[in-house]
Amino acid sequence: MSMRCTVFASGGGSNFQALLDKRASGDLHVDFVLLAGNNSGAKAFGRARDNGINTLHIAPSHFNDEAAYAKRLGDALTEVNTELVILAGYMRKLPPSIVREYRNKIINIHPGLLPAFGGKGMYGMNVHRAVLDYGAKLSGVTVHFVDEEYDHGPVILQKAVPVLDGDDENTLAARVLEAEHDSYWRAIEALASGKIRVDGRKVVWTSQT
Ligand code: GRF
């Protein structure tokens, strides 16, 4: 049985598309059972619809309080028997109750090499700008489990890319995004095929093949 995945996305969803492509090519063996997000205009919603994947438009502002929001979100995940939550450009923090309930079952992709250039406000171009301003020679991708702190949970996989002379934030972002598209599915496939074990803060790959 394929692992049942719910994807959260707020934006363009190119990472979501890369996952759909890897599934279609037979490299990634999971089922995408729901696409959720706070912005129904996001391209990711169209990608889900094109692939017959149910969508859920949900934002805290739709509810009277955080508890009601968290309850609806939790119910939605349960209704589709979610086994893995994949954050793919999701711009909101999930409620703590969801993080607790899905401990080591929520993953995120960050466009930098954590723990550098991470934390609150460090997303998208802010990351690439900070890397360039710092003069770092390497950037890259981090796939990690989600815990209660921004960009903090156990690291599953990292892939470095060079920062080249003459890079601006757009050229660096494009290079990192390409690495993201080649990284996220590998982490998910490893999780889905039981090749990853979490030992406290450490993620152990029981097999690299
Ligand atoms: C990616 O850079 C990802 O690392 C970050 O948000 C961006 C999403 O891009 N979390 P896309 O929506 O998948 O194109």
Side-chain angles (χ1 to χ4, degrees):
M1 276 262 293
S2 297
M3 189 174 253
R4 298 174 63 81
C5 302
T6 289
V7 178
F8 282 78
S10 301
S14 74
N15 273 289
F16 178 39
Q17 186 62 53
L19 298 180
L20 292 168
D21 292 346
K22 284 294 175 188
R23 185 178 189 281
S25 63
D27 295 302
L28 177 60
H29 303 87
V30 297
D31 284 335
F32 296 111
V33 291
L34 185 66
L35 182 278
N38 53 305
N39 170 13
S40 61
K43 233 173 154 182
F45 275 78
R47 299 184 199 271
R49 282 191 292 270
D50 290 347
N51 286 274
I53 298 166
N54 286 335
T55 60
L56 173 70
H57 176 213
I58 184 167
S61 58
H62 301 164
F63 298 86
N64 289 334
D65 55 37
E66 162 87 11
Y69 164 61
K71 167 94 172 59
R72 176 70 194 107
L73 202 50
D75 287 349
L77 294 176
T78 309
E79 276 159 24
V80 294
N81 295 321
T82 302
E83 296 171 292
L84 180 69
V85 174
I86 298 171
L87 306 185
Y90 186 58
M91 304 301 284
R92 295 199 164 266
K93 221 173 176 187
L94 289 174
S97 59
I98 302 280
V99 174
R100 266 196 308 278
E101 190 179 341
Y102 288 85
R103 178 81 57 201
N104 294 338
K105 290 179 186 161
I106 308 176
I107 61 174
N108 182 44
I109 188 160
H110 179 78
L113 293 176
L114 294 175
F117 308 112
K120 196 166 166 38
M122 289 301 268
Y123 56 86
M125 286 300 172
N126 294 353
V127 176
H128 305 303
R129 231 173 274 130
V131 167
L132 290 168
D133 287 349
Y134 192 83
K137 300 296 184 198
L138 280 178
S139 190
V141 177
T142 304
V143 179
H144 64 95
F145 287 110
V146 169
D147 68 7
E148 283 77 0
E149 293 176 47
Y150 280 110
D151 300 328
H152 177 265
V155 171
I156 301 170
L157 170 161
Q158 291 187 301
K159 182 170 183 182
V161 305
V163 179
L164 301 179
D165 292 343
D167 263 345
D168 61 23
E169 59 203 51
N170 295 309
T171 56
L172 180 57
R175 193 173 311 116
V176 171
L177 193 60
E178 202 181 317
E180 291 183 46
H181 295 166
D182 188 47
S183 298
Y184 216 3
W185 75 272
R186 293 180 196 278
I188 295 165
E189 180 66 9
L191 274 167
S193 54
K195 289 183 182 151
I196 283 178
R197 184 168 55 79
V198 189
D199 181 8
R201 258 216 74 84
K202 296 227 168 65
V203 173
V204 181
W205 286 61
T206 53
S207 161
Q208 291 286 351
T209 53

